[in-house]
Amino acid sequence: MSFKLSNLFQRLQNLVKRLYTKRSPKVSKRRSLILLILLFVLSLSIPLVAHQISASTVIVQTQQNPLQLVEQAKKLYTTGQFEQAALVWQQTAEAFAAQGDKLNQAMALSNLSLTQQQLGKWDEAKQAIATSLKLVETQEKTPAQRRIQAQTFDIQGQLQLGVGRSQAALKTWQQAADIYKNIGNKQELIQNQINQAQAMQELGLYRRACETLLAALELEHQNLIISKQQLQSLTAKLSKTGKLASLQVLGLRSLGDVLRVIGNKEQSQLVLTASVKLAQQLGDTQNLAASYLSLGNTALSLGNQKVQTETIPTPITFTSSQDCIAGANNTAAELYQQAAACYHQAELSTDANTRTNAELNLLSLLIQTQQWSDISTLLPKIQPQLNKLPISHKAIYAQINLAQNLICLKSAVNPEASQLSSPLLQQCGATQEKTTNTGGNTLQPALIPAWEDVAKIVTIARNQAQALQDKSAEAYALGYLGGVNQEIGKIPKAQRLTEQALQLVSAFDAPHIAYRWQWQLGRLRRIQENQQGAIAAYTAAVETLKSLRKDLTVINPEVQYTFRDSVGPVYREFVDLLLQANNSNQKNLKQARDAIEALQLAELDDYFRDACIEAKPQQIDRVVDRATPAAAVLYTITLPDRLELILKLPGQENLEHYTTTVTQAQLQDNLTQLIERLDDKTRFADEIQELSQQTYEWLIKPAQNKLVDSKVKTLVFVLDGLLRNIPMAVLYDRASQEYLVQKYALVITPGLQLISPRPLADVRLSAMLAGMSKPRSFPDENQLFSNLNFVPDELKKIQKEVPNNEKLLDRDFLKATLQEHLANAKYTIVHLATHGEFNSDPEKTFIATWDHLIKIKDLDSLLRAGQTNQPISIELLVLSACKTATGDSRATLGLAGVAVRAGARSTLASLWSVNDESTSEFMGEFYRELVHANGRKNINKAEALQQAQLALLKNPNKKWERPYYWAPFVLVGNWL
């Protein structure tokens, strides 16, 4: 094949010579256009040469004398000899200019710009591309002219992205896309869409980037979810050779990166593995190394997620024999080992950016897992590598990434950071607390940087940002300099630099940068005891975070991001500041209450990695004041040294405030033991009461008298942290010898902003009942479910109370059948008596049907099926056989997530797997109360739950009196 191409190429060269010999001007023009199109066809075989995700190709457009120069420049470019390539492209442009061939002169100048970008010569690159565009615009609009114009826009877009002008790059690439569509150039359009997706990622538009890449790869999906079958179908039809195949490697890699950021980590792993395998088949070493880097990042992200739920630290050791394309990795240690193996593979890249990023990310992993001996080997290699990189937006962030790694290294060696340290220390995370290493346990003192050394690195980044006029990178670097000076103890200088960073950010839209430095400024002002100034800074940070909502993942992906470390503390510190003894006036209490609501909403946004939840903050007080019977809302927030409580009483404008002196560690110890005892049916009531009375003392007793005076009947909780994993019903008042459920109807909510306040009595009840009584297994999901013998009995009891119903049991309970029923009928109740699990990972939160595990991200589309034309939504979703993941402190986020995502006004669910006989009794009683209630039609859901729990607790034969049987059921959402 290569012989035939070279033979054809030689014949074309000969044709050039004949055409240019003794030609008239008219013939010359016509024939040169024919040649232009022929040579463009040959250019399709030119390989990709761009760095990272951006895809740009050297344009080829040749005629007589400069032909050899074009081939020489191409060869120099593709072998990385950019200095020499730039000289030859300059000569080529001059040669075409001498012939009056402006179109080919423009081609050469565009390629010159592309080459100068590799060298970091941004001013020269800008000049070359500007001249090229002017030349192209003066030419007749032929398909060939339009194609060169579009390719020149592609190269201009890469230049704009390289200097940090992501919005301009996106606009430029969109111009190019319009041309490609107009001239029907599908292959170049794919390349262009991959470029657009990169700009979208830089701008934080991750879902939009994902949609763009899925379209480019022609990959079917449902709400950005790709099945294994769809991915297998795509990989089967991928090109195995040529430029299109390399583009597909690039597209898969970019898609894998986006999927990781939006939270679809397992899918990211599948897509990136496909990218690696295709690059291996092509022998595409540059894209292969970059795919290894991306796969390593996903493995690291999965490991960080896994380590949060592992209760026993796992020994970690890294060896050179480990494989990047690994089998099933079930532990954090295995995922970290895979990440390290991938980074080592990426280190072999000939591309300096890929190699440097691999080393930086590997360093982050080694610090996190405290692999001191490996750190000693790697660290000295990185700074020389960074110094060789041409100045660019990516190079600046690489410097900042190194600075962040060194900050984390200092933190790991000396972990005693105070709450008023720079937020930069928050980025180091706490995963190292749960990992152990088997390597060396010391680090050479010479390798532990001084803060002044970190400051020098950030200063280099700032200077480079100024040279590029990259305002966002400069603002980032200024804030980092402020943080480093804060650690040095130069507080006035730290504040001045942080304020400069914020002033710079105010000139352009970058809330993801602004909130960090507003947070840092708040801490700096607290250090200087400027309370009002600190409140102003934290208020600004919280408002900025609210404005971000959909874009909480905008933070540069090279700098690690977790909600727990990067966002949650802003809200908690703000509440801490507002509720200090000398601050707690009504204005501050309302601000603190609003901040707690905002934190709950932000946690759910982070859980789903999107902002699909509609909040209505104006409803908070109105919902409580209008509730019948009287309801009160108790907000909790756990702080390191105390538990703060804010109480909203019915008909009372002022909020009540209580402080309980209990440390976070003491509270966690009590709650962890209580959870363990509750989930054990052999435990007697007094063993539960021993712990739950202490929780009552901390949580309820301070407000007890006010609740009695206000004749409160329903108590609504907005709970924080591990408190969410405890059913409030079991809290025990030793003085009256009553559980809390014996005093109040109880409900939990992720925030009153999410409540739709219509009472159940306003609607006619109709039920969709479904259940699974027989054992089922899902090997692909590693799930095996036992039989639930009393499910048929449970459903019969509900049918008796709610005659207007449809039932699906066992083999009839298929996902598609359920969806069809929900789409074609109006149900106010959906009752699912089946296995399910709530997990801090949305991918592992599910509800089982006979043939599928319905994941939480599919639940809303399932339960909302057909609702678009229906005025009535689901009033009550009941999940009667679910459980929360063992040892997962954030598992009940899954329950709150189900409640919100399902679109139901209320969700009744169990926190642990309960004896299904007692559940059948409980559900029968619940529906009797809900529908009849001794002659009262439709009492509120919280009261029905209370009466059903009391029926089990007070059962005459005492069969179900232990909390294990009656306590796990919780009502989430609207209690009316």
Side-chain angles (χ1 to χ4, degrees):
M1 178 66 184
S2 60
F3 171 76
K4 288 180 181 177
L5 279 176
S6 60
N7 198 335
L8 176 59
F9 203 82
Q10 185 60 50
R11 288 164 61 194
L12 284 170
Q13 283 183 299
N14 294 335
L15 177 61
V16 172
K17 293 175 183 176
R18 291 200 301 275
L19 285 170
Y20 271 84
T21 305
K22 299 178 182 179
R23 66 192 187 280
S24 71
K26 288 183 181 179
V27 172
S28 168
K29 183 175 181 181
R30 180 175 58 81
R31 290 180 179 174
S32 66
L33 286 175
I34 294 170
L35 179 63
L36 177 149
I37 295 166
L38 283 171
L39 289 171
F40 244 102
V41 172
L42 286 180
S43 78
L44 293 178
S45 65
I46 296 169
L48 290 166
V49 294
H51 286 310
Q52 303 300 319
I53 297 298
S54 296
S56 295
T57 305
V58 174
I59 305 171
V60 177
Q61 191 70 29
T62 60
Q63 292 179 351
Q64 201 188 12
N65 283 338
L67 184 60
Q68 290 82 6
L69 289 174
V70 169
E71 286 304 302
Q72 185 185 350
K74 248 177 60 182
K75 186 175 180 180
L76 290 166
Y77 185 99
T78 54
T79 56
Q81 300 176 70
F82 299 124
E83 290 281 4
Q84 298 93 319
L87 290 172
V88 178
W89 281 123
Q90 183 66 55
Q91 292 168 14
T92 308
E94 291 167 359
F96 281 128
Q99 291 178 352
D101 189 342
K102 292 184 179 179
L103 202 53
N104 279 323
Q105 181 189 357
M107 172 277 300
L109 286 169
S110 295
N111 289 331
L112 174 61
S113 174
L114 184 63
T115 309
Q116 287 166 331
Q117 289 174 45
Q118 313 304 327
L119 295 165
K121 295 182 177 180
W122 299 103
D123 289 338
E124 294 91 333
K126 287 176 188 175
Q127 186 178 346
I129 205 73
T131 306
S132 175
L133 282 169
K134 283 181 184 176
L135 285 168
V136 173
E137 286 165 5
T138 63
Q139 302 306 294
E140 182 183 351
K141 283 183 168 50
T142 63
Q145 180 270 353
R146 296 287 282 159
R147 179 172 175 176
I148 287 185
Q149 186 178 36
Q151 288 182 307
T152 301
F153 279 141
D154 276 343
I155 292 172
Q156 184 184 39
Q158 178 161 309
L159 188 155
Q160 290 163 330
L161 193 72
V163 297
R165 296 182 60 213
S166 306
Q167 191 68 57
L170 180 58
K171 186 177 179 182
T172 299
W173 277 325
Q174 287 169 339
Q175 284 180 277
D178 291 340
I179 297 172
Y180 288 134
K181 289 173 188 174
N182 186 261
I183 63 176
N185 192 323
K186 183 177 179 181
Q187 186 162 284
E188 298 291 348
L189 180 60
I190 292 171
Q191 178 172 298
N192 174 276
Q193 287 172 313
I194 295 169
N195 287 339
Q196 285 190 53
Q198 177 66 4
M200 291 170 190
Q201 289 176 69
E202 291 283 340
L203 293 165
L205 306 171
Y206 287 97
R207 294 184 68 81
R208 190 170 154 196
C210 193
E211 289 165 356
T212 300
L213 289 164
L214 288 165
L217 292 164
E218 298 180 345
L219 189 54
E220 293 181 6
H221 65 97
Q222 184 176 4
N223 194 27
L224 306 186
I225 303 294
I226 312 157
S227 69
K228 287 181 182 178
Q229 292 76 13
Q230 287 167 332
L231 186 59
Q232 286 166 356
S233 174
L234 172 69
T235 52
K237 65 182 182 183
L238 289 175
S239 298
K240 299 297 185 284
T241 58
K243 178 182 174 182
L244 182 58
S246 286
L247 279 176
Q248 288 166 334
V249 172
L250 203 59
L252 286 168
R253 174 158 58 87
S254 188
L255 177 61
D257 286 338
V258 175
L259 288 169
R260 177 180 64 252
V261 175
I262 66 174
N264 299 348
K265 296 182 179 72
E266 283 83 2
Q267 291 192 331
S268 169
Q269 194 170 40
L270 289 171
V271 168
L272 290 170
T273 300
S275 176
V276 165
K277 289 180 177 177
L278 182 57
Q280 287 173 333
Q281 290 172 17
L282 296 172
D284 186 347
T285 55
Q286 186 169 316
N287 274 319
L288 177 60
S291 294
Y292 279 135
L293 172 60
S294 293
L295 187 54
N297 292 342
T298 295
L300 175 58
S301 182
L302 282 165
N304 286 343
Q305 179 177 288
K306 191 76 176 177
V307 83
Q308 301 304 320
T309 60
E310 290 182 351
T311 53
I312 302 171
T314 309
I316 297 174
T317 181
F318 298 131
T319 68
S320 57
S321 62
Q322 285 154 352
D323 188 6
C324 175
I325 305 292
N329 290 318
N330 297 316
T331 67
E334 289 169 341
L335 287 159
Y336 288 150
Q337 287 158 354
Q338 183 191 355
C342 292
Y343 292 145
H344 283 306
Q345 291 285 349
E347 277 186 287
L348 303 175
S349 175
T350 56
D351 177 72
N353 278 306
T354 300
R355 188 168 59 248
T356 304
N357 281 325
E359 289 175 346
L360 284 166
N361 292 358
L362 177 60
L363 177 62
S364 174
L365 172 59
L366 296 175
I367 293 169
Q368 189 174 310
T369 54
Q370 301 185 355
Q371 306 288 317
W372 306 124
S373 59
D374 291 336
I375 292 169
S376 300
T377 305
L378 177 62
L379 188 55
K381 292 164 52 179
I382 293 178
Q383 188 64 63
Q385 293 269 29
L386 277 174
N387 293 340
K388 292 177 185 176
L389 290 179
I391 296 175
S392 69
H393 182 74
K394 288 184 181 297
I396 294 165
Y397 276 99
Q399 294 279 7
I400 293 172
N401 193 351
L402 175 60
Q404 181 66 62
N405 273 319
L406 295 179
I407 290 167
C408 292
L409 180 60
K410 290 182 70 65
S411 175
V413 173
N414 180 24
E416 300 300 321
S418 79
Q419 190 182 8
L420 296 181
S421 299
S422 166
L424 299 179
L425 273 74
Q426 300 284 147
Q427 310 312 312
C428 302
T431 51
Q432 60 199 34
E433 295 171 7
K434 288 192 175 185
T435 59
T436 58
N437 77 85
T438 55
N441 57 6
T442 58
L443 191 67
Q444 299 169 24
L447 288 175
I448 302 172
W451 284 112
E452 288 76 10
D453 296 327
V454 181
K456 286 176 185 175
I457 293 168
V458 181
T459 300
I460 291 170
R462 179 195 179 183
N463 293 340
Q464 290 181 345
Q466 287 179 323
L468 281 188
Q469 297 182 324
D470 186 342
K471 299 298 183 186
S472 63
E474 185 182 355
Y476 220 70
L478 274 168
Y480 261 82
L481 275 176
V484 172
N485 276 278
Q486 183 175 344
E487 294 309 310
I488 292 171
K490 298 180 178 178
I491 303 303
K493 184 178 181 181
Q495 181 167 328
R496 187 171 67 253
L497 286 163
T498 305
E499 287 169 343
Q500 285 175 12
L502 284 167
Q503 188 174 6
L504 198 57
V505 170
S506 67
F508 58 95
D509 186 28
H512 59 291
I513 300 175
Y515 98 85
R516 283 173 174 269
W517 308 142
Q518 288 160 344
W519 178 18
Q520 184 163 283
L521 184 60
R523 284 189 171 187
L524 286 163
R525 286 174 175 170
R526 283 187 76 174
I527 291 170
Q528 298 172 89
E529 299 183 356
N530 178 359
Q531 297 294 84
Q532 291 309 307
I535 288 174
Y538 274 102
T539 301
V542 166
E543 289 304 313
T544 302
L545 283 171
K546 287 181 189 176
S547 75
L548 268 170
R549 286 289 311 271
K550 292 184 181 181
D551 301 327
L552 279 175
T553 50
V554 164
I555 299 162
N556 188 279
E558 303 304 329
V559 178
Q560 286 188 27
Y561 159 85
T562 64
F563 180 90
R564 183 196 63 191
D565 302 322
S566 303
V567 177
V570 181
Y571 291 95
R572 294 183 187 285
E573 290 170 25
F574 186 35
V575 173
D576 182 7
L577 185 63
L578 289 167
L579 297 184
Q580 288 178 358
N582 56 339
N583 282 337
S584 57
N585 52 51
Q586 280 299 312
K587 179 184 175 184
N588 285 5
L589 284 178
K590 287 180 179 175
Q591 263 195 295
R593 189 265 306 269
D594 292 346
I596 295 170
E597 288 264 349
L599 172 60
Q600 297 273 337
L601 191 60
E603 284 187 297
L604 283 171
D605 284 344
D606 175 68
Y607 180 75
F608 291 115
R609 284 299 172 111
D610 63 35
C612 60
I613 302 160
E614 185 181 354
K616 299 175 182 175
Q618 75 279 5
Q619 293 185 354
I620 293 176
D621 290 331
R622 191 178 67 201
V623 170
V624 178
D625 290 338
R626 293 183 180 180
T628 305
V633 183
L634 186 65
Y635 293 85
T636 69
I637 192 153
T638 54
L639 298 172
D641 60 340
R642 65 194 193 278
L643 175 66
E644 291 284 11
L645 308 167
I646 296 175
L647 179 65
K648 161 63 184 169
L649 291 166
Q652 183 174 310
E653 185 176 347
N654 285 351
L655 299 172
E656 301 293 332
H657 171 221
Y658 308 96
T659 300
T660 301
T661 307
V662 54
T663 67
Q664 199 162 353
Q666 289 172 320
L667 180 63
Q668 186 160 333
D669 183 57
N670 170 274
L671 297 177
T672 302
Q673 290 185 61
L674 182 53
I675 291 166
E676 288 172 358
R677 293 188 188 183
L678 283 168
D679 198 15
D680 181 354
K681 61 180 162 187
T682 66
R683 295 284 190 169
F684 290 102
D686 59 348
E687 294 179 274
I688 306 295
Q689 293 164 9
E690 182 185 349
L691 293 166
S692 67
Q693 68 173 325
Q694 179 62 76
T695 318
Y696 182 95
E697 295 279 327
W698 290 331
L699 206 60
I700 305 300
K701 192 170 182 180
Q704 188 171 268
N705 292 338
K706 289 281 186 181
L707 292 170
V708 172
D709 293 345
S710 298
K711 297 181 171 55
V712 169
K713 299 296 181 186
T714 303
L715 194 49
V716 183
F717 291 91
V718 180
L719 297 171
D720 183 37
L722 205 57
L723 282 166
R724 296 179 185 133
N725 289 22
I726 302 294
M728 294 292 106
V730 299
L731 301 193
Y732 191 71
D733 181 3
R734 177 65 72 185
S736 65
Q737 296 191 347
E738 288 180 303
Y739 290 105
L740 194 61
V741 73
Q742 294 173 275
K743 297 184 175 192
Y744 304 104
L746 303 169
V747 65
I748 59 175
T749 174
L752 294 194
Q753 298 180 60
L754 307 176
I755 293 295
S756 181
R758 184 177 67 198
L760 183 63
D762 289 352
V763 298
R764 180 170 175 266
L765 299 184
S766 59
M768 176 71 248
L769 310 176
M772 206 159 68
S773 64
K774 294 180 168 54
R776 291 293 288 161
S777 66
F778 295 86
D780 289 349
E781 302 279 357
N782 197 29
Q783 293 290 347
L784 175 65
F785 301 121
S786 59
N787 54 319
L788 297 169
N789 293 328
F790 283 86
V791 162
D793 183 56
E794 178 181 330
L795 298 184
K796 280 179 186 176
K797 288 175 179 174
I798 300 168
Q799 285 182 296
K800 182 181 176 183
E801 304 301 333
V802 187
N804 185 14
N805 67 77
E806 293 284 344
K807 183 176 77 171
L808 300 172
L809 181 62
D810 290 332
R811 293 182 185 279
D812 294 329
F813 181 22
L814 305 175
K815 180 183 176 184
T817 310
L818 177 65
Q819 190 158 14
E820 184 182 348
H821 276 74
L822 291 171
N824 295 326
K826 300 175 182 178
Y827 298 106
T828 52
I829 296 172
V830 175
H831 183 106
L832 304 178
T834 182
H835 298 277
E837 182 169 305
F838 307 120
N839 195 292
S840 58
D841 178 0
E843 287 294 310
K844 293 173 184 173
T845 294
F846 65 84
I847 295 163
T849 66
W850 186 260
D851 60 339
H852 275 90
L853 298 187
I854 302 172
K855 302 295 177 68
I856 191 172
K857 289 189 176 182
D858 299 328
L859 191 64
D860 61 339
S861 58
L862 180 76
L863 293 177
R864 294 171 193 262
Q867 282 187 22
T868 49
N869 299 317
Q870 295 182 15
I872 298 175
S873 64
I874 296 168
E875 289 291 329
L876 177 63
L877 170 66
V878 181
L879 306 170
S880 68
C882 289
K883 65 176 183 176
T884 50
T886 306
D888 187 346
S889 61
R890 298 177 73 235
T892 45
L893 267 181
L895 171 55
V898 167
V900 172
R901 194 77 172 207
R905 296 183 190 277
S906 315
T907 299
L908 177 63
S910 54
L911 290 178
W912 58 83
S913 297
V914 195
N915 176 291
D916 68 320
E917 183 184 357
S918 64
T919 300
S920 175
E921 289 295 321
F922 170 84
M923 287 299 168
E925 191 63 38
F926 173 74
Y927 281 97
R928 272 193 294 278
E929 290 289 337
L930 195 65
V931 176
H932 301 293
N934 299 322
R936 289 182 297 143
K937 186 181 178 184
N938 292 357
I939 67 170
N940 77 43
K941 289 167 268 190
E943 288 178 290
L945 170 61
Q946 179 188 28
Q947 294 306 316
Q949 288 179 308
L950 292 177
L952 262 65
L953 173 61
K954 296 176 179 178
N955 189 292
N957 63 19
K958 299 191 175 182
K959 189 175 181 181
W960 314 120
E961 70 173 351
R962 294 184 188 182
Y964 171 83
Y965 297 107
W966 56 263
F969 301 101
V970 293
L971 183 69
V972 182
N974 180 346
W975 67 92
L976 301 174

